[in-house]
Amino acid sequence: MREPMDLNVRPDEALLPWVGRVRAAVVLGSGFGGLAGAVTDPQVIPYADLPSFPHPSATVAGHAGQLHLGDAGGVPVVLFQGRVHRYQGMSALDAAYPARLAAALGVETLIVTNAAGGVSPDLSPGDVVLIEDQINLTGDSPLVGWPGPPGGVPFVPMRDAYDPELRALALQVAAEQGMVLHPGVYTGLLGPAFETVAEVEAFRRLGTDVVGMSTVHEVIAARALGLRVLGFSLVSNAAAGVGLSHEEVLEAGAKAEASLSKLLLAVLARL
Ligand code: HPA
């Protein structure tokens, strides 16, 4: 018989001093890499130096792969600059590795960020969406083959996967900072092709506000491991927009980065 799949990971040697010392994890999506500058005096560890970190052979511009460990907003954090995508040929379990490692380091809260295509006609490039809920249309899950927690079952509740208290906190902090947050639903797709016009219309009818190719597997694994989750999408383009390029995705990120960075630091300080 095969070994049962293990959702838990063992942190590599270089991370052992940090086990139990970090309170929150932040996964930075395309174009958010600069937020890593918010960590004071960080220890920076390239993913390449961590033997257990899944390493896709296809790398994508704008997805630098390194960990930043240190204080942000007065809270000890681990920041994942760059993520692993299912479309890079990795499994959903590998795509969820940052969430699984965060749990192994002992964090309570996972903050996920991503660049996404706007599906709601109310959204424009540069807008920041507070993710209220997700629709996983990848057809895959990091929990496939998982027997569940010891003595339990693998059927993880996904109601309120994005923590209502943390969402309320984010809205409050944003209001205090004069920043507009758009609550919305994130639909996760496999990619890597962008969507057709018919697909975008279908996803809109399903209740999608933004679409992207990441995040949903991390959030499923995080909930299975008992982490509280908060998520933000930066609208980088209109989904199925004309002339969409990866450069535009990175550019929109650079513009909203300063306000999102300020928001995240204030949220971290109040966790
Ligand atoms: N579609 C899917 N993923 C994306 C998009 C998009 O339009 N923009 C950024 N990530």
Side-chain angles (χ1 to χ4, degrees):
M1 214 175 76
R2 277 199 209 177
E3 283 288 299
M5 181 271 263
D6 196 356
L7 198 56
N8 296 302
V9 300
R10 215 182 306 230
D12 287 311
E13 193 76 25
L15 290 171
L16 292 181
W18 292 93
V19 175
R21 281 184 52 206
V22 277
R23 283 196 48 214
V26 186
V27 182
L28 301 172
S30 289
F32 288 100
L35 281 180
V39 184
T40 25
D41 242 343
Q43 183 185 359
V44 180
I45 306 177
Y47 294 167
D49 290 355
L50 299 172
S52 306
F53 213 101
H55 301 291
S57 48
T59 56
V60 178
H63 297 294
Q66 46 192 15
L67 282 176
H68 298 248
L69 296 127
D71 272 22
V75 175
V77 299
V78 52
L79 239 110
F80 295 86
Q81 184 179 16
R83 47 159 63 91
V84 180
H85 297 88
R86 180 73 184 76
Y87 66 73
Q88 289 170 291
M90 310 305 281
S91 68
L93 185 65
D94 283 342
Y97 188 84
R100 298 160 61 215
L101 179 56
L105 292 175
V107 315
E108 298 140 26
T109 304
L110 174 70
I111 303 180
V112 286
T113 67
N114 57 57
V119 171
S120 160
D122 301 333
L123 293 171
S124 311
D127 285 349
V128 178
V129 170
L130 171 67
I131 307 178
E132 286 190 307
D133 209 345
Q134 72 180 29
I135 301 177
N136 174 15
L137 287 187
T138 65
D140 204 351
S141 166
L143 306 187
V144 173
W146 183 53
V153 291
F155 311 115
V156 175
M158 288 297 286
R159 171 176 285 271
D160 290 332
Y162 294 83
D163 192 88
E165 268 179 37
L166 293 180
R167 281 189 273 139
L169 172 64
L171 285 171
Q172 189 183 332
V173 171
E176 286 165 14
Q177 298 184 344
M179 176 186 179
V180 180
L181 273 183
H182 304 265
V185 172
Y186 176 92
T187 290
L189 307 169
L190 181 58
F194 285 120
E195 303 71 47
T196 65
V197 172
E199 285 166 341
V200 170
E201 174 57 15
F203 301 153
R204 187 191 64 75
R205 292 190 207 186
L206 284 179
T208 301
D209 293 293
V210 284
V211 279
M213 304 172 191
S214 66
T215 305
V216 292
H217 297 145
E218 295 158 9
V219 172
I220 291 169
R223 291 308 299 143
L225 293 164
L227 305 186
R228 301 209 296 168
V229 176
L230 180 64
F232 301 94
S233 287
L234 170 68
V235 179
S236 55
N237 58 278
V242 179
L244 174 63
S245 71
H246 188 58
E247 287 67 40
E248 284 172 288
V249 175
L250 299 183
E251 213 175 276
K255 284 200 189 123
E257 198 168 295
S259 48
L260 196 52
S261 180
K262 197 170 145 212
L263 177 78
L264 283 186
L265 283 178
V267 168
L268 285 169
R270 278 154 69 168
L271 282 181

